[in-house]
């Protein structure tokens, strides 16, 4: 029963991690998925160095990746959906990722239903959970084979301890080949222990050879295991008088099977990738196995073995050299816990407890060694087993001097798991009196399980909501009603849904958009509800994706969802019309309906009632276009009057006395939740939209920041005042300013307590800095040159000189293209002798600049090594690539 509890709790934690741990936070998942994708697309492993260079892990043994490719054989990965990686496009900087460290952008492709690569990724995670759970079970049976004194609790406690080490649980729920390696390492050690107990049986030795051969095709970590087999066989032959022939036959069988089982992997590389004709036999055979990939350790080993003909003879110049003390610290911390969004839960207190436990276990093992000679053999085997797997991380650190490569505790924990937990639990059991062991071990296991749970809690608490985007084309048709309305040339409204909830005072509106081509600006979306007299009764204005996905960030083929909740402020029962409009910098975009689009039904028929429509009055039947740019999506019938109570109060004292105003803050997903314990009740992140609903008309509303600057509403109609958190909004606390007007005259004004906290994660500069050499030039009414700073006027050929340029977007609009900056160092005859083309700041596309933004761009201008002495001029400008031509 306790074992079953361990299995169930581990499975619950592992499954929870697999559904919570984001792709960006798991170890190396992107690299492994890239390898699996290649195998599935080509039906084979790489056969050229060019293919290897395109896949980060392609020089690593692929058994895990082949197994997953086989398990997901029916899943296609040739088409969308696609993973989005932050550095793939400058456009992704316009998204609100809700995270400070972004690598893989979290979209709704990460959620059910899964398709394509995302389904393969989930299959991998489930496969890893099965592998890691099986490893725990194998460790349990391994410890049962060892003669412990005392014995009863150690196998179960050891297996449970392994299961609930946070690093193990997190790794065991991720796409990672360490999980298959861990199982093979556990099976190998189990067979080694069986061989010690039954040295005359052949089966453990044969099984060891097969398992070690398989492990060589997963990862090279167990390459040191044959050394252990040689040592153990030698000791058994000596201690038990079996003779050296017995030992060499067993060693030969293990080694022969290892080579035989792993030969397909080495044979594949040598057959397709050898460079014997160019490099000779030694370097030509080493290159495909060790030097033909991205791993610095393997390349340096190859460089040593080939005398510098293949691989690396020294560290790359860009290597950041770390110290051995740092290696010890990071290896220790990463052995036990996992970094969750920049922090290990309960650090350093959890490590103080672990350190105390290790000290107690060490003294227990020392006492056991001194007092029980019959246990020394097992102690020596366990210690030696752990020690040999410290060798490879040390070698890797010596060859790379990089913590990220060599200081990963899992490289010791995973291959030596059984011995690690056996030593730890055995040492504790030696010190702890037997009558207390059950309680103490239960507390230790519960503590590790709780610590693992704390990792899970932190992951869940800090998880950001995924961006409302899918790269799966058919996702655009998932909503109930088809629309097929194109706005301008680049975006299309494909389908929509609506759900009036008059009893809650809200109208839920879902819109599905498809990107047809890149948009070089961020459009604004207007969603408006009008009554039968065509008067506006509710509205929302902002950027797409609930203000998180401006159109500038869309890639062709993307499907973007707007899930809006429009307020229904005390509307009478009756018929209303939902309208949609899209605006660019110059005004509304023209809307055009595809022929037949409005007559096609989506996933629900137009006549279906329930939450989605109002019989024949709802849905696609009312689709139409007014004035060429306003799309009437649906007629909505409210069967009862809507109720929307307003909970906040302000008093404005005017000429006729005090006026009591009730209001509420309304966010994209509905009325803001009030927190009476917090002065700051609501948060809005750039580029979000917030609205304020008031009980009275004739009000002029504005937000006032901490500096006293007043920000008026972007749209005010029907007592709904909309504020778009734009790029100029500073992070901080905001108050609400209400101005009561009558006949366009101010008759009273009041300012609220703190109402809203704005988080602007994109720091921009709008104030004019001090410029060393002011100057001015207008580049095609797209951006302005303000001046420069040139600290030195002399430079040697082959060197570079520092330069700072000051640029500004025009005050009323952002630049309309991704302009590339050039800087040409010219002599008096106009001959080019230096400079290069670049984006400002190296990455900051002009499309990302906000109106009026100032960009201070400092960099070094290179000078050609053969530039002759003389006077030079630096020409600076911008060009746009049109086809294969550059247009200045």
């Amino acid at each position: 029963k306790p074992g079953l509890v361990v299995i169930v709790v581990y499975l619950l934690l592992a499954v929870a991690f697999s559904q919570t741990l984001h792709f960006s936070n798991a170890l190396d998942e992107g690299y492994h998925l890239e390898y699996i994708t290649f195998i599935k697309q080509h039906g084979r492993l790489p056969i050229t160095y060019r293919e290897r260079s395109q896949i980060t892990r392609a020089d690593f043994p692929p058994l895990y990746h082949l197994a997953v490719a086989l398990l997901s054989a029916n899943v296609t990965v040739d088409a969308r959906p696609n993973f989005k990686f932050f550095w793939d496009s400058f456009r992704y900087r316009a998204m609100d990722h809700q995270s400070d460290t972004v690598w893989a952008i979290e979209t709704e492709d990460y959620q059910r239903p899964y398709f394509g690569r995302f389904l393969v990724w989930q299959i991998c995670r489930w496969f890893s959970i099965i592998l890691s759970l099986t490893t725990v079970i194998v460790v349990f049976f391994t410890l049962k084979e060892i003669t412990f004194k005392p014995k009863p609790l150690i196998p179960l406690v050891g297996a449970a301890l392994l299961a609930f080490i946070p690093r193990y649980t997190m790794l065991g729920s991720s796409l990672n080949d360490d999980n298959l390696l861990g199982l093979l390492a556990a099976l190998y050690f189990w067979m080694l222990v069986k061989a010690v107990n039954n040295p005359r049986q052949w089966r453990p030795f044969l099984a060891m050879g097969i398992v070690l051969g398989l492990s060589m095709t997963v990862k090279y970590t167990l390459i040191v295991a044959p050394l252990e087999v040689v040592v153990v066989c030698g000791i058994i032959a000596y201690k038990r008088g079996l003779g050296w022939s017995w030992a060499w036959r067993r060693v030969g069988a293990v080694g022969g099977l290892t080579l035989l089982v792993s030969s397909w992997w080495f044979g594949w590389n040598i057959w397709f990738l050898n460079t014997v004709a160019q490099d000779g036999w030694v370097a030509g055979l080493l290159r495909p196995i060790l030097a033909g990939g991205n791993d610095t350790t393997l390349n340096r080993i190859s460089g040593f073995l080939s005398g510098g003909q293949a691989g690396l003879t020294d560290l790359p110049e860009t290597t950041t050299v770390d110290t051995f003390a740092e290696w010890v610290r990071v290896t220790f911390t990463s052995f036990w816990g996992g970094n969750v969004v920049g922090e290990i839960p309960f650090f350093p207190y959890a490590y103080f407890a672990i350190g105390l436990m290790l000290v107690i276990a060490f003294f227990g093992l020392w006492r056991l060694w001194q007092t029980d000679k019959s246990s020394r053999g097992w102690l020596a085997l366990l210690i030696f087993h752990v020690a040999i797997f410290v060798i490879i991380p040390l070698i890797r650190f010596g060859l790379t001097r990089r913590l990220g490569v060599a200081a990963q505790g899992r490289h010791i924990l995973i291959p030596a798991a059984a011995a690690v937990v056996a030593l730890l639990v055995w040492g504790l059991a030696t010190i702890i009196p037997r009558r207390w062991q059950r309680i103490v071990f239960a507390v230790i296991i519960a503590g590790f399980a709780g610590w693992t749970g704390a990792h899970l809690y932190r992951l869940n608490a800090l998880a950001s909501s995924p961006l409302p985007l899918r790269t799966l084309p058919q996702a655009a048709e998932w909503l109930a009603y088809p629309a097929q309305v194109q706005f301008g040339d680049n975006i299309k409204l494909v389908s929509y849904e609506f759900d009036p909830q008059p009893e809650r005072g809200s109208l839920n509106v879902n819109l599905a958009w498809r990107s047809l081509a890149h948009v070089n600006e961020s459009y604004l979306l207007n969603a408006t509800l009008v009554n039968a007299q065509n008067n506006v009764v509710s509205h929302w204005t902002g950027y797409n994706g609930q203000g998180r996905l401006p159109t500038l960030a869309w890639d062709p083929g993307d499907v973007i969802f707007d899930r809006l909740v429009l307020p229904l402020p005390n509307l009478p029962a009756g018929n209303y019309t939902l309208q949609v409009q899209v605006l660019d910098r110059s005004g509304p975009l023209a809307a055009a309906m595809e022929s037949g689009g409005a007559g096609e039904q989506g996933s629900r028929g137009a006549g279906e009632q329930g939450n989605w429509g109002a019989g024949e009055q709802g849905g696609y039947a009312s689709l139409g276009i007014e004035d060429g740019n306003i799309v009437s999506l649906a007629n909505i019938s409210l069967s009862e009057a809507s109720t929307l109570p307003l909970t906040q109060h302000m008093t404005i004292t005017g000429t006729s006395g005090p006026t009591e105003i009730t209001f509420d803050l309304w966010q994209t997903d509905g009325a803001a939740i009030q927190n009476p314990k917090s002065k700051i009740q609501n948060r809005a992140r750039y580029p979000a939209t917030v609205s304020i609903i008031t009980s009275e008309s004739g009000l002029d509303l504005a937000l006032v920041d901490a500096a006293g600057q007043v920000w008026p509403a972007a749209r005010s109609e029907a007592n709904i005042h909309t504020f778009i958190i734009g790029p100029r909004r500073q992070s901080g606390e905001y108050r609400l300013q209400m101005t009561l007007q009558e006949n366009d005259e101010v008759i009273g004004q009041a300012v609220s307590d703190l109402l809203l906290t704005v988080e602007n994660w994109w720091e921009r500069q709008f104030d004019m800095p001090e410029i060393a050499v002011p100057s001015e030039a207008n580049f095609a009414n797209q951006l302005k040159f303000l001046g420069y700073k040139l600290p030195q006027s002399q430079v040697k050929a082959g060197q570079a000189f520092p330069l700072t340029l000051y640029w500004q977007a025009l005050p009323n609009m952002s630049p309309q293209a991704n302009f590339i900056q050039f800087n040409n160092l010219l002599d008096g005859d106009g001959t080019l002798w230096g400079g290069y083309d670049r984006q400002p700041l190296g990455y900051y596309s002009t499309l990302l600049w906000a109106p009026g933004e100032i960009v201070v761009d400092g960099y070094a201008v290179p000078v050609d090594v053969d530039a002759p002495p003389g006077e030079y001029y630096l020409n600076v400008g911008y060009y746009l690539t049109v086809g294969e031509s550059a247009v200045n």
Side-chain angles (χ1 to χ4, degrees):
K1 287 183 179 179
L4 182 61
V5 170
V6 171
I7 290 173
V8 171
V9 174
Y10 176 76
L11 277 175
L12 290 174
L13 286 171
V15 170
F17 270 113
S18 74
Q19 301 305 304
T20 306
L21 186 63
H22 184 244
F23 195 75
S24 287
N25 297 326
L27 290 170
D28 300 336
E29 284 197 323
Y31 301 137
H32 293 296
L33 187 59
E34 182 183 35
Y35 202 176
I36 293 165
T37 299
F38 178 91
I39 293 171
K40 288 179 62 63
Q41 288 176 330
H42 294 81
R44 58 170 174 79
L45 301 175
I47 58 175
T48 67
Y49 285 104
R50 180 181 178 83
E51 289 180 343
R52 267 196 179 183
S53 66
Q54 295 171 346
I55 310 167
T56 306
R57 296 277 171 151
D59 56 323
F60 279 36
L63 184 60
Y64 176 85
H65 311 88
L66 287 168
V68 174
L70 182 62
L71 286 172
S72 60
N74 295 326
V75 182
T76 179
V77 293
D78 293 328
R80 287 170 169 252
N82 295 326
F83 286 82
K84 285 182 178 285
F85 298 105
F86 180 73
W87 291 104
D88 284 351
S89 173
F90 67 82
R91 294 176 179 273
Y92 299 159
R93 295 178 180 274
M95 300 176 177
D96 174 18
H97 306 284
Q98 297 190 353
S99 175
D100 295 331
T101 55
V102 175
W103 175 56
I105 298 170
E106 186 172 9
T107 67
E108 291 183 0
D109 284 328
Y110 286 87
Q111 297 181 323
R112 296 184 182 88
Y114 300 111
F115 298 90
R117 291 177 177 86
F118 293 87
L119 180 55
V120 173
W121 168 58
Q122 283 295 306
I123 292 172
C124 291
R125 286 194 165 188
W126 283 101
F127 182 48
S128 291
I129 290 173
I130 294 171
L131 293 174
S132 58
L133 176 61
T134 307
T135 302
V136 172
I137 295 171
V138 170
V139 166
F140 170 77
F141 285 108
T142 302
L143 301 190
K144 288 193 72 173
E145 290 281 340
I146 299 175
T147 306
F148 294 109
K149 295 181 181 180
K151 168 110 175 166
L153 288 176
I154 292 179
L156 178 62
V157 174
L161 179 64
L162 174 64
F164 300 133
I165 293 175
R167 167 54 66 204
Y168 184 82
T169 313
M170 292 176 70
L171 187 67
S173 56
S174 304
L175 191 175
N176 199 294
D177 54 3
D178 278 327
N179 295 296
L180 180 54
L181 177 76
L183 175 57
L184 293 173
L187 288 169
Y188 155 72
F189 191 60
W190 187 16
M191 294 301 103
L192 184 66
V193 170
K194 280 183 170 291
V196 171
N197 284 331
N198 303 283
R200 295 186 181 277
Q201 290 187 2
W202 273 100
R203 282 181 296 180
F205 294 96
L206 299 178
M208 267 192 285
I210 294 171
V211 168
L212 286 179
L214 290 173
S215 75
M216 292 299 106
T217 65
V218 177
K219 225 170 182 180
Y220 295 137
T221 304
L222 295 190
I223 199 169
V224 294
L227 169 64
E228 184 177 34
V229 174
V230 171
V231 172
V232 169
C233 286
I235 292 174
I236 291 174
Y238 175 74
K239 290 283 188 180
R240 303 196 182 185
L242 296 175
W244 294 113
S245 62
W246 172 92
W248 290 122
R249 286 199 303 272
R250 265 64 178 179
V251 170
V254 173
L257 280 172
T258 299
L259 291 174
L260 178 63
V261 173
S262 62
S263 61
W264 66 269
W265 161 244
F266 298 106
W268 177 280
N269 286 293
I270 292 172
W271 180 264
F272 287 106
L273 295 165
N274 80 82
T275 58
V276 172
Q278 298 88 358
D279 300 326
W281 283 100
V282 176
L285 294 179
L286 285 174
R287 189 181 300 279
I289 297 173
L290 299 176
N294 302 307
D295 187 84
T296 304
T297 305
L298 295 180
N299 273 282
R300 294 211 64 196
I301 292 173
S302 178
F304 172 76
L305 295 176
S306 66
Q309 287 184 283
L312 297 171
T313 56
D314 205 351
L315 290 172
E317 293 182 3
T318 56
T319 301
T320 301
V321 176
D322 297 301
T323 65
F324 179 72
E326 291 174 314
W327 178 85
V328 172
R329 177 184 61 81
V330 175
T331 300
F332 178 74
T333 55
S334 63
F335 183 96
W336 302 98
N339 189 312
V340 179
V341 196
E343 184 178 310
I344 300 176
F346 298 136
F347 181 88
Y349 309 107
Y351 286 94
F352 290 152
I354 290 173
L356 177 62
M357 185 175 64
L358 291 176
V359 169
I360 294 172
F362 174 80
F363 280 109
L365 295 174
W366 179 255
R367 177 190 293 180
L368 188 66
W369 183 276
Q370 297 288 76
T371 59
D372 186 1
K373 292 184 178 181
S374 63
S375 298
R376 288 183 180 179
W378 289 116
L379 281 172
L381 176 61
L382 294 171
I383 293 170
F384 183 61
H385 187 70
V386 175
I388 63 170
F389 289 112
V390 179
I391 295 173
I392 287 185
L394 279 172
I395 291 174
R396 296 196 74 181
F397 179 68
L399 293 175
T400 66
R401 302 304 297 273
R402 292 168 55 200
L403 298 180
V405 171
Q408 298 185 34
R410 63 190 171 106
H411 293 155
I412 301 172
L413 171 65
I414 296 304
V420 168
V421 296
L423 288 169
L424 182 56
V425 177
W426 200 3
L428 293 173
T430 303
I431 293 293
I432 302 169
R434 295 198 65 175
R435 66 180 181 276
W436 293 104
Q437 284 183 10
R438 290 184 179 274
I439 295 175
V440 173
F441 282 136
V443 169
I444 291 173
I445 298 305
F448 271 97
W451 192 27
T452 302
H455 284 68
L456 181 62
Y457 174 81
R458 179 171 170 82
L459 274 173
N460 188 63
L462 297 180
S464 58
S465 56
L467 290 165
L469 178 152
R470 279 188 179 265
T471 61
L472 186 72
Q474 57 264 40
E477 283 83 25
W478 286 355
L479 301 187
Y481 302 116
Q484 303 298 339
V485 180
Q486 185 167 327
F487 290 87
D489 298 325
N490 300 323
I491 68 172
K492 180 192 288 186
L493 177 62
V494 180
S495 61
Y496 65 97
E497 292 174 344
F498 58 92
D499 181 14
Q501 297 183 341
E503 71 283 0
R504 297 184 178 181
S506 63
L507 170 65
N508 298 337
V509 178
N510 292 342
L511 307 173
W513 303 84
R514 177 177 288 131
S515 174
L516 306 178
H518 280 130
V519 178
N520 285 345
E521 62 176 297
S522 294
Y523 296 153
L524 283 176
L525 169 65
N526 275 342
T528 306
L529 189 69
V530 299
N531 59 19
Q533 292 75 41
N534 207 34
N535 296 321
V536 175
V537 295
S538 184
H539 60 86
W540 183 93
T541 298
Y543 298 107
N544 288 91
Q546 292 98 265
R548 298 183 61 195
L549 271 168
T551 50
L552 178 61
W554 296 9
D555 288 325
D558 285 350
V559 176
I560 294 85
F561 297 98
D562 275 297
R563 301 187 180 96
L564 309 175
V565 181
L566 272 62
L568 301 180
N570 304 318
L571 302 182
N575 294 328
Y576 298 85
T577 302
L578 176 64
Q579 298 178 336
V580 171
Q581 188 181 47
V582 178
L583 299 87
D584 67 4
R585 61 169 61 91
S586 60
L589 290 177
M593 190 183 306
E594 284 189 3
S595 60
E600 297 174 4
Q601 292 191 9
S603 57
R604 290 188 180 90
E608 294 184 19
Q609 296 190 21
N611 290 331
W612 301 112
E616 295 180 358
Q617 293 179 344
Y620 69 89
S622 59
L623 194 65
I625 298 177
E626 301 176 14
D627 300 329
N629 57 64
I630 299 174
V631 177
S632 296
L633 282 183
N635 290 333
I636 299 173
S637 177
L638 297 184
S639 57
E640 59 180 285
S642 66
T643 55
L644 183 62
L646 305 178
T647 59
Q648 302 193 57
H649 301 266
M650 281 183 68
T651 301
I652 301 178
T653 303
T655 55
S656 58
T659 301
E660 185 77 11
I661 308 293
T662 57
F663 70 97
D664 253 335
L665 188 70
W666 190 274
Q667 295 183 319
T668 302
D669 56 355
I673 299 174
Q674 307 303 315
N675 181 2
K677 296 182 180 180
S678 173
K679 292 183 179 179
I680 306 303
Q681 298 177 342
N682 305 286
R683 295 183 180 272
R685 286 173 57 89
Y686 164 81
T689 289
V690 295
S691 300
I692 295 173
I693 307 165
T694 60
S695 60
E696 302 291 332
S697 58
L699 292 171
D700 183 25
L701 267 61
L703 294 176
V704 182
D705 63 21
Q709 186 167 359
V710 177
W711 302 95
R715 183 181 181 186
S716 294
E717 289 182 274
N719 295 352
I720 300 173
H721 310 264
T722 298
F723 296 86
I724 301 173
I725 308 302
R728 288 179 175 268
R729 305 295 191 276
Q730 299 297 312
S731 296
E733 299 168 344
Y734 283 68
R735 291 175 166 81
L736 176 63
Q737 176 182 285
M738 274 190 190
T739 303
L740 184 61
Q741 296 179 326
E742 187 174 303
N743 298 324
D744 294 330
E745 291 186 7
V746 175
I747 61 174
Q749 190 176 78
V751 178
S752 72
D753 294 330
L754 299 181
L755 176 73
L756 181 70
T757 295
V758 168
E759 297 176 352
N760 195 333
W761 41 267
W762 192 331
E763 294 186 8
R764 304 176 190 253
Q765 182 172 343
F766 294 95
D767 297 328
M768 188 66 67
E770 182 178 346
I771 301 175
V773 183
S775 182
E776 188 167 319
N778 185 308
F779 284 77
N781 286 321
Q782 296 292 317
L783 49 89
K784 292 196 303 183
F785 177 66
L786 303 178
Y788 64 93
K789 179 182 179 182
L790 185 65
Q792 66 188 59
S793 59
Q794 292 184 337
V795 65
K796 292 182 179 181
Q799 296 183 352
F801 60 89
L803 175 70
T804 301
L805 302 177
Y806 298 82
W807 303 97
Q808 185 178 32
L810 296 185
N812 298 322
M813 70 174 188
S814 301
Q816 299 175 39
N818 178 34
F819 298 113
I820 304 300
Q821 183 191 123
F822 64 84
N823 45 82
N824 296 332
L825 187 66
L826 307 174
D827 64 13
D829 297 328
T831 304
L832 182 67
W833 293 102
Y836 64 109
D837 299 350
R838 62 195 292 278
Q839 286 189 333
L841 301 179
Y843 66 88
Y844 197 34
S845 168
T846 52
L847 279 174
L848 298 170
W849 298 11
E853 180 179 359
I854 295 171
V855 176
V856 181
D857 187 14
Y859 58 101
V861 180
V863 180
D864 290 355
V865 69
D866 55 348
E871 288 190 344
Y872 288 77
Y873 303 88
L874 188 69
N875 282 0
V876 176
Y878 284 88
Y879 65 84
L880 174 65
T881 302
V882 180
E884 297 182 359
S885 302
V887 180
N888 284 359

